[in-house]
Amino acid sequence: MVDKPRRNFYGRQHGKTLRNRHKEFLANDLAALSPGLISPQDNPERVPLDLPTRFGGRPVWLEIGFGGGEHLVHQAASNPDVEIIGCEPFINGVAMLLGKIHDAGVDNIAVYPGDVRDLFDVLPAGSIKRAFLLYPDPWPKQRHVGRRFMNQTYLEPLARVLAPGAVFRVVTDIPEYVQRTLVQVPGHGFELIAQISAPWEDWVSTRYERKALREGRVPHYMTFQRLG
Ligand SMILES: C[S@@+](CC[C@H](N)C(=O)[O-])C[C@H]1O[C@@H](n2cnc3c(N)ncnc32)[C@H](O)[C@@H]1O
């Protein structure tokens, strides 16, 4: 048996009491939508997931920290030939996504309700063709540097699971986070393709982005490509 890496998660995992509708989605829909595991305990040996069998050989994309799931559902509806794995440890967000999947009737989303580091452990090398990281938690204080996505703990496994040529999109409204992203991502085997202040053409605004815009912050959209 492989030891589970000791990982602390500092974000929120639970919020307000869930509505009955959302509780029912979690109880009834989540297991069937799983990419092959719901928690790391389902696969203690960390055997790589068999994505070709699970997804019929279709290209697989990944959205990390999907929040309420609006962008994830939009991408799934716009790209029916692609399977998208959404990963989010905040269970209220997962429940909201399940509601949106139900309402939109999309059938090409898989959901991992946990920490993306645990998902990275079991994704095969080069298995992901596109990844989205939309408004990652900034953790601005220096003593929280280890919690940021923009460090080796996250970027090394991300680089491992992305296929050569895969696109990695990042958007943030925090100027320091832009600078950190522009240094850290290319330092882990990616090339910067574009950085723009207008959204991508296939974009839909997320809940976090709408709040940022209301509060006068400016989004910065960056596109990288995995070298290889
Ligand atoms: C600022 S919110 C942005 C949410 C969403 N992307 C949006 O634009 O509305 C950051 C999200 O990242 C999620 N998150 C934080 N750490 C994570 C991790 N280790 N793995 C997966 N998601 C994570 C949080 O739970 C939260 O939902």
Side-chain angles (χ1 to χ4, degrees), residues 153-228:
T153 315
Y154 290 86
L155 290 172
E156 256 186 27
L158 175 75
R160 185 186 67 81
V161 305
L162 286 188
V167 161
F168 176 41
R169 288 182 177 179
V170 185
V171 53
T172 177
D173 56 327
I174 313 284
E176 296 76 33
Y177 210 92
V178 174
Q179 295 317 317
R180 212 171 287 139
T181 302
L182 291 173
V183 172
Q184 289 291 325
V185 178
H188 287 84
F190 293 81
E191 181 186 5
L192 177 68
I193 302 297
Q195 47 170 325
I196 47 176
S197 55
W200 297 282
E201 278 183 12
D202 59 357
W203 176 247
V204 66
S205 203
T206 66
R207 226 153 49 115
Y208 182 94
E209 177 168 276
R210 291 196 289 276
K211 181 165 181 277
L213 293 171
R214 278 199 305 275
E215 294 173 2
R217 296 195 297 278
V218 179
H220 199 95
Y221 306 85
M222 291 165 275
T223 307
F224 298 91
Q225 189 163 35
R226 178 76 176 103
L227 299 170

Side-chain angles (χ1 to χ4, degrees), residues 51-52 55-62 79-85 108 127-130:
L51 299 185
F55 296 131
R58 289 182 288 280
V60 182
W61 296 359
L62 171 67
N79 298 281
D81 298 332
V82 168
E83 298 287 338
I84 314 184
I85 304 175
N108 54 337
S127 59
I128 302 295
K129 296 281 193 293
R130 177 170 289 218

Side-chain angles (χ1 to χ4, degrees), residues 9 65-67 88-90 114-116 134-135 137 154 206-208:
F9 178 73
F66 57 71
E88 172 59 62
F90 182 50
D115 186 324
V116 73
L134 314 176
Y135 297 102
D137 293 320
Y154 290 86
T206 66
R207 226 153 49 115
Y208 182 94

Side-chain angles (χ1 to χ4, degrees), residues 140-151:
K141 294 187 181 148
Q142 189 53 34
R143 68 173 191 275
H144 294 152
V145 67
R147 302 181 187 184
R148 295 175 193 154
F149 192 94
M150 289 304 151
N151 71 45

